[in-house]
Amino acid sequence: MSSSTIEPTVETTAVRPDYEVIIVGAGFGGIAAAIELREAGIHDFVMLEKHDGIGGTWYINTYPGIAVDIPAVFYSLSKMPFTSSSRFFPPGHEIQQYIERVVDAYGLRKKIRLNTTIESARWDERNYLWRGTLASGEEITARYVIGALGLLEVAKLPDIPGIDTFAGHKVHTARWDHDYDYTGKRIAIIGTGATALQLIPEMAKVASHLTVFQRTPIWLAPKPDFRIDWGLDRVLSGVKPVRAAVRGAIASGIDMGLIGALLSLRRMPKAMPYVTRAGGAMYKLWLRDEELAEKLTPTYAPGCKRPSMSNEYFKTFKQKDRVSLITDAIEEITEKGVRTADGVEHEIDVLVCATGFRVCERGFAPAFHVYGETGEELGDYWHEHRYHAYQGVSVPQWPNLFMVGCGPNSIIPSSILVTIENTAAHARRAIVETRRRGATKVDVNRQAYDDWAKFCTDRTEGSMWVSTPCAGSNTYYVNYQGELAIRPTTGLNQWWGNRHFPVRHYTFSTRPALINARTREPELATT
Ligand code: NAP
């Protein structure tokens, strides 16, 4: 070979990525993924967090009354007990403190880059790595990307005409404005989901008048909440067998309910209307007010959409001189307030949108653009081919990419931390297996993906969530394509499926030139 000949480098150039793994998000999902990596001996990773603090949901949701409606003993990572919880159902700031403690306990703080938004990631097929572009314009590369973006991350303002014309103070619950003084104001809240029912009693305490606009009522149960910081917290979180037994009992209880929900329409086709009627009777007894009971009782069956718990919500509406419950449809938002279908304009000073999040919606899932092997963007692909991910985690032709706690068909209606830990374990297993084989690319097989998608679709059809008992529930458990956004299995199945999936469901491959790559600079293989 003549020394003046320039050899093509396309197939022989080896680039060592900046990191082995980029974790996108430093909420519970990112933290659980980082713990899995650490335990697997993988330390070359970075966590990118767009906010100026860690904690995800619990960092950004700080509205008055925020708490979790799942007991601390279950709403905590299996690897680290939730000590110092003052109540059985802890308030939001205590969960945030727990998250901070977990991050310190696992030495993750130095791995986190705050105020760092990833805008896109593009698969580099030549080098088997991901090239991420940050909002700053910086490029960052990694062999693997774990998207731990949160399923309820993109706040949704209501698509009501005139929303931008409102001249008063407007706020979404996921972006609470703590600088504003709400005292003595005429406050309106749109929405009656799990967030609103925590917020409404708190706003009623400070508002001169509170108006709640309800489109769809919610099923709720009394909240058996009480202080546990007299010693019960130490038993629940400090005595391992007690903690394991309580967690096991809650998980099994939820699984029993899920089995019932999954089977109810096929095995007990006539049962759900009775369940709905029984719920209605319970509401009547609880409320002891015919008019309120009629307005607040859902017509859809319990379990169609996420239920919640509260001891204060119903009581709040009994203060009829100070709190109005409006069930007429909203027609428009005006400069002064909210106009409903009956022609009334409800004048207000503050408009609170407790209107939830965008779940499995085009342009918002995933929350950044991810261009796979063919150059196609994942959100576009899902829009064209339906929202699915193998075990809620991976998609063929988007190799080396794993979604933790945010993929389609990943969550079960339980503590989100169950899903997060199971899907993080899936990502760990796939990455560890790739490394064990000396491979640098891992891609879920089309057949495994299609089989899983078919399983989810088959379970959707005929399930209660897409049948008459759930009509009118507006549940985000079903996405705009009519597919279940949740995982139609029990928690036990989710645990097993993510930890024991057959590795033959993935294809592992290697760029020979990359195996011995040593530097972070482009490296020419000798010919
Ligand atoms: P959500 O459950 O989606 O509820 C949004 C509410 O806004 C619904 O009542 C919805 O009515 C209403 N809405 C939306 N757009 C509207 C419009 N254009 N006009 C009128 N009403 C409109 O949201 P969320 O309450 O924020 O809860 C989201 C999730 O966060 C929950 O499901 C739960 O998973 C989680 N969360 C958990 C806890 C906890 O303690 N663990 C607490 C809060 C939230 P429709 O029902 O008719 O759509």
Side-chain angles (χ1 to χ4, degrees):
M1 192 197 319
S2 141
S3 59
S4 61
T5 308
I6 298 172
E7 292 293 319
T9 58
V10 173
E11 290 304 327
T12 54
T13 300
V15 175
R16 185 182 166 102
D18 298 327
Y19 298 95
E20 185 155 17
V21 187
I22 291 174
I23 298 174
V24 185
F28 266 126
I31 291 164
I35 292 171
E36 290 290 345
L37 293 181
R38 275 239 193 277
E39 288 183 349
I42 300 168
H43 301 288
D44 183 16
F45 64 88
V46 66
M47 300 167 74
L48 307 181
E49 171 53 59
K50 71 177 180 182
H51 297 295
D52 58 0
I54 61 163
T57 288
W58 296 101
Y59 184 73
I60 58 167
N61 283 276
T62 56
Y63 57 84
I66 185 166
V68 65
D69 55 13
I70 296 167
V73 62
F74 196 51
Y75 197 84
S76 46
L77 297 173
S78 59
K79 295 168 203 261
M80 183 154 162
F82 192 155
T83 48
S84 325
S85 157
S86 65
R87 307 190 69 81
F88 194 56
F89 296 94
H93 71 273
E94 290 185 4
I95 301 166
Q96 179 63 23
Q97 287 162 4
Y98 167 73
I99 292 171
E100 302 276 353
R101 284 198 299 277
V102 175
V103 163
D104 287 333
Y106 283 89
L108 297 177
R109 216 165 276 279
K110 56 183 178 293
K111 296 284 186 187
I112 301 170
R113 278 180 67 175
L114 297 175
N115 298 307
T116 306
T117 303
I118 187 161
E119 290 199 327
S120 65
R122 199 172 280 279
W123 176 248
D124 176 344
E125 178 65 7
R126 193 174 72 181
N127 295 296
Y128 283 4
L129 52 81
W130 282 100
R131 292 183 181 277
T133 304
L134 305 183
S136 61
E138 178 190 338
E139 185 183 82
I140 183 168
T141 56
R143 182 76 63 219
Y144 307 95
V145 169
I146 295 179
L149 303 150
L151 197 72
L152 302 163
E153 213 281 319
V154 186
K156 183 175 74 178
L157 281 173
D159 48 355
I160 300 171
I163 180 99
D164 293 328
T165 62
F166 179 60
H169 191 70
K170 188 171 70 191
V171 63
H172 189 281
T173 50
R175 302 283 182 276
W176 196 255
D177 182 355
H178 290 275
D179 294 331
Y180 184 82
D181 184 6
Y182 299 83
T183 315
K185 303 285 185 341
R186 295 167 301 171
I187 302 174
I189 297 180
I190 300 180
T192 50
T195 297
L197 74 84
Q198 295 180 338
L199 177 70
I200 285 167
E202 298 305 312
M203 289 288 99
K205 288 177 193 163
V206 297
S208 62
H209 192 91
L210 177 67
T211 310
V212 175
F213 293 92
Q214 171 188 273
R215 187 165 67 181
T216 312
I218 184 169
W219 282 116
L220 69 144
K223 192 173 185 180
D225 195 16
F226 48 91
R227 294 203 75 90
I228 57 168
D229 51 2
W230 43 269
L232 185 60
D233 56 337
R234 286 193 293 280
V235 176
L236 285 174
S237 59
V239 182
K240 270 189 183 173
V242 174
R243 182 170 190 254
V246 175
R247 287 173 68 92
I250 297 174
S252 317
I254 292 171
D255 267 7
M256 297 302 284
L258 280 171
I259 291 169
L262 291 166
L263 297 179
S264 59
L265 252 163
R266 290 174 194 150
R267 302 275 162 89
M268 301 184 288
K270 296 195 179 111
M272 291 321 285
Y274 291 108
V275 178
T276 310
R277 237 176 278 164
M282 190 193 85
Y283 267 34
K284 268 190 186 156
L285 275 175
W286 192 359
L287 275 154
R288 296 185 184 282
D289 180 317
E290 282 288 328
E291 186 205 342
L292 275 181
E294 195 172 321
K295 282 183 166 178
L296 288 166
T297 304
T299 51
Y300 61 85
C304 294
K305 67 195 298 183
R306 193 186 185 285
S308 195
M309 289 180 203
S310 175
N311 301 327
E312 305 302 319
Y313 185 65
F314 284 169
K315 276 190 212 160
T316 307
F317 292 111
K318 293 200 163 189
Q319 307 167 45
K320 291 188 180 173
D321 51 333
R322 300 189 53 246
V323 181
S324 312
L325 174 62
I326 307 297
T327 53
D328 296 287
I330 299 174
E331 279 214 323
E332 64 166 333
I333 311 258
T334 64
E335 205 183 319
K336 291 185 184 164
V338 180
R339 189 190 308 282
T340 41
D342 55 1
V344 176
E345 183 176 23
H346 304 264
E347 292 195 11
I348 50 167
D349 306 305
V350 184
L351 179 65
V352 178
C353 300
T355 42
F357 302 88
R358 299 197 177 275
V359 180
C360 283
E361 282 188 41
R362 190 184 200 186
F364 302 100
F368 64 103
H369 299 302
V370 189
Y371 301 93
E373 209 175 86
T374 62
E376 191 172 7
E377 199 272 313
L378 184 53
D380 289 345
Y381 174 81
W382 275 336
H383 179 68
E384 293 295 321
H385 301 275
R386 306 254 169 150
Y387 286 77
H388 289 294
Y390 172 65
Q391 295 283 344
V393 173
S394 51
V395 181
Q397 296 190 307
W398 275 265
N400 294 20
L401 173 72
F402 308 97
M403 282 159 286
V404 167
C406 63
N409 305 131
S410 66
I411 62 161
I412 50 163
S414 173
S415 165
I416 184 68
L417 301 191
V418 171
T419 292
I420 281 174
E421 289 200 308
N422 288 335
T423 49
H426 184 133
R428 167 188 177 164
R429 183 158 188 249
I431 293 172
V432 166
E433 182 63 18
T434 314
R435 286 161 54 108
R436 194 186 67 76
R437 293 170 183 237
T440 45
K441 178 180 175 187
V442 53
D443 198 10
V444 67
N445 296 334
R446 174 64 57 186
Q447 191 62 51
Y449 175 88
D450 286 346
D451 288 349
W452 172 255
K454 183 173 178 330
F455 166 78
C456 293
T457 305
D458 288 352
R459 281 266 168 116
T460 307
E461 282 165 17
S463 76
M464 64 182 264
W465 292 292
V466 291
S467 304
T468 318
C470 287
S473 65
N474 280 349
T475 179
Y476 70 76
Y477 288 177
V478 179
N479 70 21
Y480 70 97
Q481 295 170 324
E483 293 272 342
L484 273 186
I486 57 170
R487 178 183 172 116
T489 75
T490 60
L492 187 62
N493 179 291
Q494 183 196 50
W495 183 89
W496 182 267
N498 278 294
R499 283 177 168 78
H500 301 280
F501 58 85
V503 286
R504 68 172 185 282
H505 283 180
Y506 281 94
T507 298
F508 302 86
S509 33
T510 312
R511 278 266 188 259
L514 292 174
I515 294 174
N516 295 321
R518 285 277 178 264
T519 71
R520 293 187 180 226
E521 296 301 317
E523 198 176 70
L524 285 183
T526 48
T527 51

